[in-house]
Amino acid sequence: MNGIIEINQITKRYGQLVALDKVTFSVPEGSVFGLIGPDGAGKTTLYQILTTLLNPEEGVATVAGLDVVKDYRKLRTVIGYMPERFSLYPDLTVSENLHFFASLFGVNVKDNFDLIAPIFDQLKKYPNRMAGALSGGMKQKLALSCALIHHPKILLLDEPTTGVDAVSRSEFWDMLARLKEKGITILVSTSYMDEAERCERIALINKGVILDVNTPEKLIERLDKNLYNASSRDMYPLLEALRKLPDVKDCYTFGATLHVVTTDEFNPDAVVNKLRQEGLADANIYPAKGNIEDLFIKLAKNDE
């Protein structure tokens, strides 16, 4: 491995709970890398180790060539960290928060303002507003601005889009793309599977275990080709009926429909006729295009 972030066999326990189990992956320099998994998967624990807030019990991790345990003082100057929870001072204004975080790193806001200008643009209208009074999207922009004010080489973002609206989520990912163009390496964690496709490479994590690492495109290639959508007004009876069929390998809820994984022998027209005869008069089955969420469900079940 030769990435700017190197994670090798990292293990962390909380009593009997194994939060991270021999986690290993590498983040290429200048990339947007996603750590994808549900709540409780171990993402925040890994971030706390990478940002020197926790020590691993086993394994080694380096960021920009600096060991997260031995070189923790130097490391804190080259990374920008945006934790999941809003970590700024709610009783300080927008301007005061920005200047405070600049002072922590011994820099002047004016010196690095060009980096955050596109992000801070909407906030500059409200320099005297208390941070605690901002909307979710505005808090997100302020936190990102404070994480970038010392012009870090690496940006570590832990669940940055949790709790913000869809428009703000999309705007945030557009901002990350612009930061990448400026040479900043970004490691971003999320439980939103659709955001995985905005990353160049991703690591899927569940219950502290890395399930797979690759580009989103390469990972999706691993999906079963026989994947269908199924819908009806009576979704639960439909789910139960499909799970009983011999040619159905798996069936699970997926948004407003069901996703059905089948064998090659599965005949959707015949199944629809059978379901309608059994009382599901509006049952419908049609081909589906798999995505990262489908793969995650498959890998997580295989790992149980």
Side-chain angles (χ1 to χ4, degrees):
M1 296 188 293
N2 56 355
I4 195 167
I5 300 175
E6 294 287 356
I7 300 163
N8 188 19
Q9 300 289 303
I10 289 292
T11 297
K12 181 67 179 178
R13 301 179 185 85
Y14 298 104
Q16 297 299 311
L17 174 66
V18 182
L20 297 172
D21 188 3
K22 295 181 172 58
V23 168
T24 300
F25 63 87
S26 175
V27 177
E29 186 169 3
S31 67
V32 178
F33 191 105
L35 183 62
I36 315 296
D39 292 343
K43 301 187 300 295
T44 294
T45 296
L46 182 59
Y47 270 78
Q48 289 175 338
I49 289 172
L50 294 177
T51 55
T52 76
L53 300 176
L54 279 179
N55 286 341
E57 289 165 24
E58 299 171 21
V60 176
T62 60
V63 180
L66 299 170
D67 187 282
V68 296
V69 176
K70 299 173 184 175
D71 305 314
Y72 71 94
R73 290 186 184 276
K74 290 181 182 178
L75 182 53
R76 290 175 183 176
T77 67
V78 300
I79 60 173
Y81 175 41
M82 184 174 162
E84 179 181 2
R85 296 184 182 278
F86 184 63
S87 59
L88 306 185
Y89 292 92
D91 52 351
L92 294 183
T93 67
V94 167
S95 179
E96 287 169 342
N97 265 289
L98 191 61
H99 282 84
F100 173 74
F101 278 87
S103 69
L104 288 180
F105 292 98
V107 298
N108 191 299
V109 170
K110 291 181 180 179
D111 294 339
N112 291 322
F113 192 77
D114 62 316
L115 180 63
I116 67 166
I119 303 164
F120 199 74
D121 188 53
Q122 296 177 45
L123 284 165
K124 67 183 181 184
K125 304 171 189 175
Y126 314 106
N128 297 317
R129 181 169 294 183
M130 294 296 177
L134 296 172
S135 67
M138 289 296 188
K139 284 180 178 177
Q140 180 194 58
K141 290 179 176 67
L142 179 57
L144 183 58
S145 297
C146 290
L148 289 166
I149 196 58
H150 60 299
H151 209 304
K153 293 180 180 178
I154 299 145
L155 187 58
L156 302 171
L157 307 173
D158 188 11
E159 301 268 11
T161 57
T162 298
V164 300
D165 60 88
V167 173
S168 295
R169 279 176 60 195
S170 180
E171 288 178 350
F172 189 83
W173 280 92
D174 290 341
M175 285 185 250
L176 297 189
R178 289 193 289 270
L179 291 171
K180 175 189 176 298
E181 290 173 359
K182 294 181 179 290
I184 296 175
T185 302
I186 300 167
L187 175 61
V188 54
S189 74
T190 181
S191 57
Y192 296 118
M193 297 291 168
D194 60 302
E195 293 185 344
E197 295 178 17
R198 303 289 297 263
C199 302
E200 292 161 89
R201 288 179 67 82
I202 60 175
L204 300 176
I205 185 171
N206 188 46
K207 297 179 181 178
V209 176
I210 297 296
L211 303 177
D212 208 340
V213 182
N214 215 316
T215 66
E217 296 77 16
K218 289 290 186 183
L219 288 172
I220 289 173
E221 287 177 5
R222 294 188 51 188
L223 277 170
D224 295 283
K225 303 303 180 186
N226 299 313
L227 182 68
Y228 295 86
N229 283 313
S231 64
S232 168
R233 282 192 299 270
D234 301 314
M235 293 295 281
Y236 187 69
L238 178 63
L239 176 69
E240 286 192 312
L242 287 169
R243 283 181 170 173
K244 292 176 182 176
L245 297 178
D247 292 329
V248 171
K249 296 163 65 176
D250 198 5
C251 183
Y252 47 87
T253 57
F254 195 92
T257 69
L258 302 177
H259 268 190
V260 189
V261 183
T262 74
T263 66
D264 291 337
E265 289 71 32
F266 182 80
N267 185 325
D269 293 333
V271 169
V272 166
N273 289 334
K274 175 179 169 59
L275 292 170
R276 290 179 177 176
Q277 290 170 9
E278 293 175 353
L280 292 165
D282 64 337
N284 192 18
I285 298 175
Y286 51 96
K289 183 180 179 181
N291 62 15
I292 292 297
E293 186 169 352
D294 291 296
L295 178 64
F296 185 89
I297 291 169
K298 175 184 177 181
L299 294 175
K301 287 185 175 181
N302 290 344
D303 194 54
E304 289 178 353

